Structures are given as structure tokens and as C-alpha cells.
Amino acid sequence: MKRLVWLLALAPLWAQAAGDPVAGRKFFASCANCHAVGPGARHGFGPHLNGLAGRKAGSVAGYAYSAGMKASGLVWSEATLAAFLRAPGDVVPGTKMRYWGVGVDEKKVRDLLAYLATQDR
């Protein structure tokens, strides 16, 4: 169990090493229509994304998640978030997220994960 906690603690650092957070911030602009990060972030059409690493999907108070998201059993990690970004509806059927995903553009996925990891500090 201690090893799992340690690995989860390091996950944001791995994401940062694998991608470019500056490019990820630019890409996040397309997400910012629905989501917010950083100090003072609030829910919009989607939930805020602060503290995402290690958080249970559908668990932040004050946002009306879909039944599918609440029942998904997902815990956000680099792997689960990357899969969700690639194909949201495949990972969580019934999700309210209207973004079609970044497909197979692995660089965009890595960059976005690296940017989001900078928001978990």
C-alpha cells in the first residue's frame, strides 16, 4: 500500500517529464470553455480540475456529474485521464463531457497531462 501511495505521489512528476506543460497550457484553452484550473477555479459546464491526480471520478462537491461518471469507479491517474481524453464516451459511457477527445495525438495528451500536473501542486 505504501508503494502505491508513493507511485501516485510521483505520477504528476512523470507526466511533467513526459510532456511539455507550456504546450499543454495552450491546448487547455480549448478545455477552458468548460473547465477551470488554478487558484479560484470554479465549476463551469464541467467541474474544476484542481487536485485531479488521485481523485475519485465524480466526487467533487458542488458539481452535478452524470450517473455514468459517479458510477465509473475511476480514480484519476495519468493512465485513466489519458484514456478518457482520447475517448471520453468509451471510458465513461453516459458522460456529460461533450468533447470528442484528442484521438491518437499522443503529444497533445502528454502535454495536457503535464500542464494539469502543474496544477496539482
Side-chain angles (χ1 to χ4, degrees):
M1 183 68 166
K2 286 182 184 178
R3 186 174 190 186
L4 177 61
V5 171
W6 181 247
L7 290 173
L8 288 174
L10 290 177
L13 298 176
W14 292 330
Q16 205 170 24
D20 176 0
V22 174
R25 181 176 185 204
K26 289 177 186 173
F27 183 71
F28 184 79
S30 66
C31 308
N33 292 322
C34 298
H35 298 283
V37 293
R42 305 248 188 271
H43 301 309
F45 288 111
H48 73 71
L49 301 179
N50 289 344
L52 196 57
R55 183 169 83 195
K56 183 179 177 201
S59 67
V60 175
Y63 183 76
Y65 291 95
S66 67
M69 186 63 75
K70 288 190 276 188
S72 70
L74 287 175
V75 174
W76 295 120
S77 67
E78 184 174 347
T80 57
L81 185 56
F84 186 73
L85 290 170
R86 288 182 195 106
D90 291 346
V91 174
V92 180
T95 183
K96 293 187 334 185
M97 188 151 138
R98 296 293 175 241
Y99 184 68
W100 295 104
V102 296
V104 294
D105 191 332
E106 295 301 321
K107 180 172 179 4
K108 284 183 180 177
V109 171
R110 285 191 313 269
D111 292 348
L112 186 56
L113 290 173
Y115 171 66
L116 290 174
T118 68
Q119 303 303 303
D120 278 343
R121 294 182 187 154

